[in-house]
Amino acid sequence: MKKLINKPEEVVKEELQGIELAHPDLVKVFYDPDFIVRVDAPVKGKVGIISGGGSGHEPMHGGFVGKGMLDAACPGAVFTSPTPDQMLAATKAVDGGAGVLHIVKNYTGDVMNFEMAADLAKEEGLEVEAVVIDDDVAVKDSLYTAGRRGVGLTVLVEKICGAAAEEGRSLKEVADLARKVNSLGRTMGMALTSCTVPHAGKPTFDLPEDEMEIGIGIHGEPGRKRMKLQSADEVVEMLMDPIISDIPYKSGDEVLLFVNGMGGTPLIELYVLYRKAVEVAEKHGIKVVRNLIGPYITSLEMAGTSITMLKMDADLIKLWDAPVLTAGMRKGI
Amino acid sequence: MVITRDDVIDWIKVYAQLLVEKKDYLTDLDSAIGDADHGANMNRGFQAVLSKLPGMEDQDIGTIFKTVGMTLLSTVGGAGGPLYGSLFIQAGKAVSGKMELTLADWADALEAATTGVVSRGKAVLEDKTMVDALTPAVEALKESVSKGLSLSEGLKNSAKAAEEGMIATIPLVARKGRASYLGERSAGHQDPGATSSFYLVNTAFKTWTNSHK
Ligand SMILES: Nc1ncnc2c1ncn2[C@@H]1O[C@H](COP(=O)(O)OP(=O)(O)OP(=O)(O)O)[C@@H](O)[C@H]1O
Ligand SMILES: [Mg+2]
């Protein structure tokens, strides 16, 4: 393992110390339990929005704390969901009197820990709603399994709901909006390489030089199938087809197209992918009205990409365009 | 013969030590069908438990179990945190106030523990989870109690049943947790959570029979 770290057990703590030093104008960092809050939290009368998950997906979630996006983020150990005491402390820290929304990615650990935190918060008289994001079309959806994973769409939910909360919408409205975005967006990812979890010390799976893994999540977990490496254009088709046919997106739809890097794939390649993704969308009569390109929800140093499509309407476009000021995403400010 | 409070504390220490040794193995199992963190998660939790043991040693067994559970809940994270947290918290409720456990008490504790895991995680038998190791262990304990078997025989039966349950997860296709994302590809691998649960039941057998030799 070759990594710029000191000790595997210290990575998350030292990352938080770095964030604290780098962005004192945006966030405050708390330790034991660990969480990051917006510098002016709690914002009186505003719905508080918190999210959290394992570390290793930077800039998500800590990099999205700030005006117009998240009020707090709870980082777990690398690829491990955080614990209920972190979420409870963060919930209390951001409650400005209008209630708190938990944005939860659909993983067994995240869901159970957030459920326990919400129970504890309610016992203390706080108003909490949770919305579970499950946008990954690579996973078969079924009532009898853990269901689809929450992946790329989470970034868009956090931005859009953050803008809605900033506008002064109620907890119920912001939660309904999160559910609406979740119902209108879909994602599919692929990997060229695995990644190495610091405390594991070796790659989670072996992927030969000439092969790729289709349908991966964001934790270095193997995907649904492995195949010979294909060109960028072929990969885009392989990712876009299941996305488009899942909802399904129709001719005339307006979408936000999000081409995400998994951590080890440079922007030059993401733009190559974006170019083809727009072409595929247009072939189906789908109009790309907004986009996001870059590494926003990563899987450590994994090389690969995920593509997310979100069907937009006037309200979503307005919220997407609203100002945001965070370490990981900034516009209009 | 009964399980004393000291036996319970020894069991927790032995289990924590075993996790140090098996950390990499559990993480390897989790690499195959999960996200390569189960060993690290469990080890982090039980190291935290060890550091809290001195403050628990004069409590009743129910309180010890509950403190272990609360500690796991706030240090393990992942699926393991709420699941093993609920396991110990519910076991604690079942033997609240007790200073020693008979085989029947231990059967009650492990049954409540397993029910706690099931109500938190909603897994049923053969979903390829820790429930597949725990449920047969509980059944073996209850059967041993009703047959009037000795403490050591009962513990031995439960360890054997847990081991069989753990091995039986190998061919299963996972329906819960991260492994379910793999679909058919999860078959052929032993479940990491069932393995750590087998260790739990097996160290109870080993530690408690040794102390009563
Ligand atoms: N719903 C469930 N019910 C019971 N046991 C479960 C359930 N989901 C997962 N498990 C058990 O948890 C084990 C995995 O635990 P682990 O500590 O690796 O958490 P994780 O799933 O990786 O959590 P996270 O997703 O947050 O990283 C599995 O091997 C399985 O035995
Ligand atoms: Mg795991």
Side-chain angles (χ1 to χ4, degrees):
Chain A
M1 171 173 67
K2 231 172 166 183
K3 281 186 190 289
L4 289 170
I5 62 172
N6 297 307
K7 277 197 215 135
E9 317 79 72
E10 305 291 334
V11 176
V12 174
K13 199 127 285 184
E14 291 179 359
E15 177 202 7
L16 288 175
Q17 290 163 352
I19 289 174
E20 185 177 19
L21 287 168
H23 307 294
D25 51 328
L26 300 175
V27 299
K28 283 182 290 196
V29 178
F30 290 85
Y31 300 91
D32 295 315
D34 299 347
F35 60 98
I36 302 174
V37 294
R38 191 176 145 152
V39 72
D40 54 348
V43 182
K44 206 160 178 285
K46 187 184 92 67
V47 170
I49 303 184
I50 77 174
S51 190
S55 294
H57 308 302
E58 290 70 11
M60 189 186 77
H61 297 275
F64 299 147
V65 176
K67 195 173 163 52
M69 215 159 163
L70 296 179
D71 291 84
C74 306
V78 173
F79 291 173
T80 298
S81 133
T83 55
D85 53 329
Q86 289 172 267
M87 299 159 182
L88 179 62
T91 302
K92 288 187 197 162
V94 307
D95 182 35
V100 179
L101 176 68
H102 290 176
I103 297 178
V104 186
K105 301 192 297 306
N106 189 30
Y107 297 95
T108 304
D110 293 67
V111 170
M112 289 192 296
N113 283 287
F114 267 106
E115 268 172 14
M116 296 188 97
D119 289 349
L120 295 170
K122 285 174 193 161
E123 276 171 28
E124 297 193 22
L126 293 155
E127 204 192 341
V128 175
E129 272 232 44
V131 175
V132 176
I133 308 302
D134 56 351
D135 54 313
D136 188 356
V137 298
V139 176
K140 252 196 259 147
D141 200 7
S142 151
L143 276 179
Y144 305 102
T145 65
R148 289 180 159 175
R149 297 176 285 221
V151 283
L153 187 62
T154 313
V155 178
L156 310 184
V157 173
E158 290 177 1
K159 165 68 185 82
I160 288 168
C161 291
E166 211 73 53
E167 257 189 7
R169 294 193 198 179
S170 71
L171 179 58
K172 165 136 200 335
E173 286 168 327
V174 181
D176 285 344
L177 178 69
R179 284 185 272 266
K180 169 177 151 181
V181 173
N182 189 49
S183 73
L184 295 176
R186 294 291 188 276
T187 300
M188 175 105 172
M190 62 81 61
L192 297 173
T193 64
S194 180
C195 56
T196 300
V197 177
H199 53 72
K202 52 179 194 268
T204 308
F205 56 89
D206 292 314
L207 200 50
E209 238 340 81
D210 61 341
E211 290 183 17
M212 61 182 187
E213 185 96 21
I214 297 284
I216 45 107
I218 49 170
H219 302 89
E221 64 267 60
R224 283 197 77 83
K225 63 172 188 255
R226 182 169 288 199
M227 53 198 302
K228 284 276 173 256
L229 196 56
Q230 315 265 319
S231 70
D233 285 1
E234 285 163 317
V235 166
V236 168
E237 280 175 352
M238 249 180 267
L239 300 182
M240 292 281 281
D241 287 344
I243 293 175
I244 291 175
S245 58
D246 194 82
I247 281 206
Y249 295 90
K250 303 181 308 290
S251 179
D253 281 352
E254 299 198 329
V255 300
L256 185 159
L257 183 60
F258 169 26
V259 176
N260 176 57
M262 299 303 294
T265 289
L267 270 175
I268 182 173
E269 294 174 23
L270 297 183
Y271 279 105
V272 170
L273 298 169
Y274 180 72
R275 162 203 138 271
K276 178 67 182 180
V278 171
E279 185 193 308
V280 172
E282 282 173 353
K283 206 178 68 200
H284 286 85
I286 298 164
K287 195 164 162 223
V288 178
V289 293
R290 292 291 183 277
N291 64 56
L292 183 67
I293 299 150
Y296 288 95
I297 166 169
T298 61
S299 190
L300 295 169
E301 73 281 20
M302 173 182 277
T305 187
S306 68
I307 297 182
T308 302
M309 278 211 327
L310 169 62
K311 189 164 143 49
M312 301 295 271
D313 60 22
D315 188 42
L316 293 182
I317 290 177
K318 184 183 83 175
L319 293 167
W320 178 255
D321 290 344
V324 57
L325 180 59
T326 67
M329 194 185 290
R330 176 174 192 171
K331 55 174 154 183
I333 298 185
Chain B
M1 257 182 325
V2 293
I3 302 154
T4 64
R5 184 175 63 187
D6 287 349
D7 291 339
V8 167
I9 293 194
D10 280 346
W11 168 54
I12 293 164
K13 286 183 183 159
V14 172
Y15 186 59
Q17 181 52 39
L18 185 71
L19 288 175
V20 173
E21 287 158 29
K22 299 289 186 182
K23 182 176 81 157
D24 292 340
Y25 173 62
L26 288 173
T27 291
D28 281 349
L29 291 177
D30 200 29
S31 302
I33 56 170
D35 57 350
D37 63 358
H38 189 60
N41 292 349
M42 292 298 288
N43 187 47
R44 183 172 57 249
F46 273 87
Q47 286 305 312
V49 168
L50 279 188
S51 71
K52 287 209 178 160
L53 271 186
M56 294 181 214
E57 276 164 350
D58 55 352
Q59 307 285 323
D60 65 272
I61 296 174
T63 307
I64 294 174
F65 282 167
K66 276 184 238 165
T67 315
V68 170
M70 293 306 288
T71 308
L72 295 176
L73 199 56
S74 63
T75 53
V76 176
L83 292 169
Y84 275 96
S86 303
L87 185 154
F88 276 96
I89 291 169
Q90 296 307 325
K93 286 189 186 160
V95 297
S96 168
K98 292 202 192 287
M99 300 304 270
E100 52 183 39
L101 307 178
T102 62
L103 186 64
D105 292 333
W106 172 237
D108 288 346
L110 201 66
E111 180 167 38
T114 305
T115 307
V117 171
V118 169
S119 64
R120 190 43 68 196
K122 315 270 181 316
V124 296
L125 268 181
E126 306 202 334
D127 278 352
K128 198 180 181 99
T129 70
M130 55 196 281
V131 171
D132 293 337
L134 292 171
T135 304
V138 171
E139 278 161 14
L141 280 176
K142 283 172 45 178
E143 199 187 312
S144 305
V145 171
S146 68
K147 283 187 186 158
L149 299 185
S150 71
L151 180 67
S152 59
E153 280 171 311
L155 293 172
K156 185 174 172 191
N157 291 344
S158 69
K160 190 159 168 281
E163 183 168 25
E164 284 165 8
M166 167 188 82
I167 291 169
T169 63
I170 297 174
L172 296 174
V173 173
R175 285 186 299 228
K176 283 283 184 291
R178 268 179 205 292
S180 68
Y181 304 136
L182 287 175
E184 299 289 331
R185 274 172 83 178
S186 63
H189 300 279
Q190 186 171 308
D191 179 60
T195 311
S196 57
S197 288
F198 158 67
Y199 292 156
L200 195 67
V201 176
N202 196 46
T203 39
F205 159 55
K206 291 260 168 76
T207 321
W208 296 341
T209 8
N210 272 339
S211 72
H212 292 287
K213 262 197 187 132

